[in-house]
Amino acid sequence: MFSSFVTASLGGLLVGLGAILLLLFNGRIAGISGILSGALWSSRESDAKGIAWQWYFLAGLLLSGLFMGGPLELLFGVTPIEMSHLEVSTPLLLISGVLVGLGCSLGSGCTSGHGICGIGRLSPRSIVATLVFISVGVLAAIVFH
Amino acid sequence: MKQFMALLCGTLFGTGLMLSGLADPAKVISFLNLSLLLTGEWDPSLMFVMSAALAVYLPIYLLVVKPRVLAKQGPVCDKQYHLPTKRTIDAPLLIGSVLFGLGWGMVGICPGPGIVNLASFEPSIFLFVFAMVLGGYMGRQINLSIPIAVNNT
């Protein structure tokens, strides 16, 4: 239990660092849902060089995913996540995915955009959004598990 | 430089998600499912993720970024900061947050972990991310058709 608090805190520091560096250097909010929708269908603000920064950020996320079972496992005992062990049916997985995408799009943010960058800027909108989605998330987790 | 920073930040962010356990749906569920308090199996460690991330983000924002924004100075690699300007707590924010919370609590995956876990190359995560993109597209169409829901970013 102790080690899971240590890795949780270390992981949180890295998440915060990645998010604040993006704001310091690029002036951007590290909200994953926003970055994903920006990469997929941003029309107004494409980069000067024609390659959007959003794709580079997403590539970084994937790159970090490839560390699974590599350096992370050796250093911290973080094992690759086996999605096939998810105890959810395919319809539930699809419904949950649609709700997550739809909710982030309507609510203009997710755990990263509101929960870290928004609260980190003391935005009232983000504080309210985070309280709402964590409360509903708790209820849903109790009902479905 | 801008693209390199985006790549670096994405890598740091994703590594943090995995190290912290936030990318593991089972761990997220065992945090959100407060009924586990009754059996003593509740996993509070994810609270440390958000606290630690905010411990980095909040002071640097207040001490470095906010004064620069007020002084109309830009970030290192851009002319200006791109910050949300919307202030009102409106229906789309609340409805969206309820729907997102519902989906997140059902399976335990939010957008960041969804993308990071694509690297596991398991079909179920591709299905989830496909559904998430579909949902995002639906929300975008709703936002475009209802003027009140348009994000004024």
Side-chain angles (χ1 to χ4, degrees):
Chain A
M1 189 57 107
F2 174 74
S3 73
S4 84
F5 290 150
V6 174
T7 52
S9 307
L10 272 175
L13 290 176
L14 286 182
V15 168
L17 189 66
I20 197 66
L21 285 177
L22 191 71
L23 186 64
L24 280 171
F25 280 81
N26 292 6
R28 297 284 179 172
I29 298 293
I32 310 302
S33 53
I35 290 176
L36 183 62
S37 64
L40 290 175
W41 33 66
S42 78
S43 49
R44 290 171 289 174
E45 40 170 16
S46 48
D47 262 40
K49 286 174 191 161
I51 308 163
W53 64 272
Q54 283 100 332
W55 284 110
Y56 282 85
F57 188 92
L58 294 174
L61 283 184
L62 279 176
L63 197 64
S64 70
L66 296 172
F67 282 142
M68 274 191 292
L72 280 186
E73 189 176 3
L74 290 173
L75 287 170
F76 299 101
V78 175
T79 48
I81 292 146
E82 293 181 32
M83 305 303 296
S84 49
H85 289 185
L86 272 181
E87 288 169 10
V88 288
S89 63
T90 304
L92 194 71
L93 191 73
L94 288 172
I95 292 168
S96 145
V98 169
L99 285 172
V100 166
L102 178 63
C104 292
S105 177
L106 292 178
S108 6
C110 54
T111 25
S112 52
H114 283 309
I116 294 162
C117 302
I119 293 183
R121 290 180 301 111
L122 299 174
S123 150
R125 263 171 69 83
S126 292
I127 293 168
V128 169
T130 307
L131 290 175
V132 170
F133 67 65
I134 288 190
S135 311
V136 177
V138 164
L139 287 176
I142 292 172
V143 170
F144 287 93
H145 294 274
Chain B
M1 183 64 182
K2 208 162 151 184
Q3 320 295 17
F4 170 77
M5 282 312 295
L7 183 72
L8 176 72
C9 291
T11 310
L12 284 172
F13 198 101
T15 307
L17 286 181
M18 277 187 306
L19 187 55
S20 65
L22 199 70
D24 181 354
K27 206 168 165 76
V28 172
I29 294 297
S30 64
F31 168 70
L32 288 176
N33 188 351
L34 288 184
S35 68
L36 295 174
L37 276 171
L38 300 172
T39 57
E41 293 170 277
W42 183 57
D43 180 355
S45 64
L46 292 193
M47 278 195 302
F48 289 75
V49 185
M50 205 180 198
S51 318
L54 285 173
V56 175
Y57 201 96
L58 186 63
I60 297 181
Y61 171 75
L62 290 178
L63 296 173
V64 182
V65 178
K66 201 176 179 188
R68 289 180 68 96
V69 173
L70 292 175
K72 302 213 185 300
Q73 288 172 301
V76 180
C77 304
D78 202 337
K79 292 191 187 72
Q80 55 169 349
Y81 288 95
H82 305 268
L83 299 171
T85 51
K86 216 168 171 180
R87 291 276 176 274
T88 49
I89 293 162
D90 50 15
L93 180 82
L94 298 175
I95 295 168
S97 299
V98 167
L99 297 179
F100 167 54
L102 186 60
W104 187 38
M106 279 165 79
V107 174
I109 314 175
C110 57
I115 293 166
V116 167
N117 286 338
L118 284 176
S120 71
F121 300 107
E122 292 194 47
S124 54
I125 191 66
F126 283 97
L127 269 180
F128 180 88
V129 172
F130 168 75
M132 185 173 87
V133 169
L134 188 70
Y137 184 75
M138 286 159 59
R140 183 180 157 81
Q141 296 308 109
I142 296 171
N143 283 337
L144 292 175
S145 62
I146 304 171
I148 195 171
V150 169
N151 303 327
N152 54 353
T153 45

